[in-house]
Amino acid sequence: MRILFLCRRFYPDIGGVEKHVWEISLRLAKSGHKVMIVTQSQNLQREVVLKNITIVRIPKNVQTKFQLWKWFWQNRYIIEDADIIHCHDVFYWYLPFRFIYPRKHVFTTFHGYESYPIKKKAIIVRKLSELLSFGNICVGDFIKKWYYTKPTVVSYGAVDSSQFKTKTQKKKIFKESALFFGRLDVQTGIQTYNKAFEILKKKYPKFRLLVVGDGKYRRFLANKIQVKGFQKNPEQYFENYRFAFVSRYLSILEAFAAKRLVFAVYDNPVKEDYLRMTPFAKYMIIAKTPAELARKVQFFITHPDLEKKLVEQAYTWVKKQSWSGMVNIYLRLWKST
């Protein structure tokens, strides 16, 4: 099969959507499918082949929707050669071609949410994307509630649990410590984690927090705690850190696979549903305020037996969430039409 993925950002950019598309593409290409990715990421040359995946980068001067559609028209061979077109949150890139090529099978994966409060325009765009797609994958059941999307499939991503089997079990773990990794912005909850850390430091002066990531809050945080930039494999730092301060699906699954207790935070109703409307909500600790988070961390510092129980339950669940299983979800979706 010739598969065309459309996504705003892609490898070597780092993020949940980027990793999702990369992992799926690697396995599809390895299985003999021809995979092409069209993206706006600007880190590499215009067209490159990595591990049998063709990556085409839209030029920097293409900014508006009409410029984007013009570029696709000028390069319509990309669409014409594909058996399957799959959009990752960017169905509008393909919108006019849905009518030019009405028999082309196009699908959409909806990842996360834009901002809170959710704007009517965002709901309309997603609803239109759903109606014009042959099927869709919603990453999170909350999307159905907040965007009124009718999902073909609901998923929460995947993880390669085998990579954590030996790495996180042999090193000395700091008893009072946590690892955060992800973008340093509002949606990842880094401000809440930082304030909770300040509270915990008063109770446990030796408490350590390592932040692995980058974003607009990096300079502010770097004056207070240890901050590393984006790392290719941030999960390696679980070797020494006891708890996981993460609130995005992919990071949560990776923390489960590393056998670390997850503390996830929210600051609005959408993010609360994002966390609580999951099959794994019962395996992690969810909090709203820094004070609440600090109290819960203190509780588990002194209750390692309960920590271990939750960690083992989470690990049993996450072992079944493999990337090969995620690939099969895509293949079944494409073959169902």
Side-chain angles (χ1 to χ4, degrees), residues 172-178 197-210 240-242 301:
K172 180 181 178 181
I173 299 173
F174 301 123
K175 181 180 177 182
E176 298 155 7
S177 63
F197 170 66
E198 292 175 353
I199 296 171
L200 288 163
K201 283 287 285 185
K202 295 177 181 178
K203 177 75 174 179
Y204 303 100
K206 293 183 178 180
F207 196 97
R208 302 186 182 206
L209 173 61
L210 175 63
N240 298 115
Y241 291 82
R242 178 175 176 181
I301 286 175

Side-chain angles (χ1 to χ4, degrees), residues 59-258:
K60 289 182 180 180
N61 61 343
V62 176
Q63 299 290 332
T64 68
K65 289 185 178 69
F66 291 103
Q67 289 174 337
L68 192 67
W69 293 336
K70 181 181 178 181
W71 182 88
F72 271 104
W73 176 250
Q74 291 171 339
N75 296 274
R76 57 189 177 276
Y77 75 90
I78 291 173
I79 294 171
E80 291 172 349
D81 287 349
D83 299 312
I84 296 292
I85 297 98
H86 199 113
C87 309
H88 291 268
D89 284 334
V90 289
F91 184 89
Y92 75 91
W93 288 10
Y94 187 74
L95 181 59
F97 302 96
R98 175 66 176 86
F99 305 100
I100 296 171
Y101 304 103
R103 295 186 180 181
K104 283 282 182 184
H105 287 198
V106 58
F107 302 83
T108 303
T109 295
F110 298 109
H111 299 266
Y113 64 99
E114 292 82 3
S115 61
Y116 180 82
I118 295 174
K119 297 178 181 179
K120 288 184 178 179
K121 180 182 177 181
I123 295 173
I124 292 170
V125 168
R126 290 212 184 188
K127 196 64 185 176
L128 184 63
S129 302
E130 173 207 332
L131 293 173
L132 292 177
S133 296
F134 282 61
N136 71 79
I137 297 172
C138 286
V139 182
D141 207 35
F142 79 101
I143 292 174
K144 179 169 57 176
K145 174 180 177 179
W146 287 92
Y147 289 92
Y148 312 105
T149 304
K150 184 178 179 181
T152 310
V153 180
V154 175
S155 177
Y156 296 89
V159 68
D160 180 6
S161 58
S162 63
Q163 67 180 313
F164 299 98
K165 283 185 178 179
T166 58
K167 288 182 179 180
T168 57
Q169 305 306 315
K170 295 181 179 180
K171 298 279 184 172
K172 180 181 178 181
I173 299 173
F174 301 123
K175 181 180 177 182
E176 298 155 7
S177 63
L179 170 69
F180 169 96
F181 66 93
R183 289 198 180 96
L184 306 184
D185 59 24
V186 174
Q187 288 197 352
T188 58
I190 184 60
Q191 291 176 305
T192 302
Y193 288 125
N194 178 53
K195 291 176 182 177
F197 170 66
E198 292 175 353
I199 296 171
L200 288 163
K201 283 287 285 185
K202 295 177 181 178
K203 177 75 174 179
Y204 303 100
K206 293 183 178 180
F207 196 97
R208 302 186 182 206
L209 173 61
L210 175 63
V211 172
V212 179
D214 209 341
K216 64 179 181 179
Y217 294 128
R218 180 175 181 176
R219 183 176 296 180
F220 169 77
L221 292 167
N223 295 325
K224 300 182 177 184
I225 53 182
Q226 184 182 5
V227 179
K228 293 182 179 287
F230 275 128
Q231 304 291 317
K232 186 176 181 181
N233 297 301
E235 62 276 1
Q236 64 186 291
Y237 295 98
F238 279 125
E239 292 179 346
N240 298 115
Y241 291 82
R242 178 175 176 181
F243 301 130
F245 282 4
V246 291
S247 299
R248 305 296 288 180
Y249 290 155
L250 182 59
S251 300
I252 290 170
L253 267 57
E254 289 176 336
F256 284 169

Side-chain angles (χ1 to χ4, degrees), residues 113 186-189 192-193 247 263-276 285-290 292-293 296:
Y113 64 99
V186 174
Q187 288 197 352
T188 58
T192 302
Y193 288 125
S247 299
F263 291 84
V265 298
Y266 66 91
D267 60 358
N268 63 64
V270 178
K271 187 60 182 289
E272 182 177 12
D273 284 343
Y274 174 95
L275 295 169
R276 296 194 188 279
I285 312 305
I286 301 173
K288 182 177 183 181
T289 67
E292 180 187 5
L293 174 60
K296 292 183 175 182

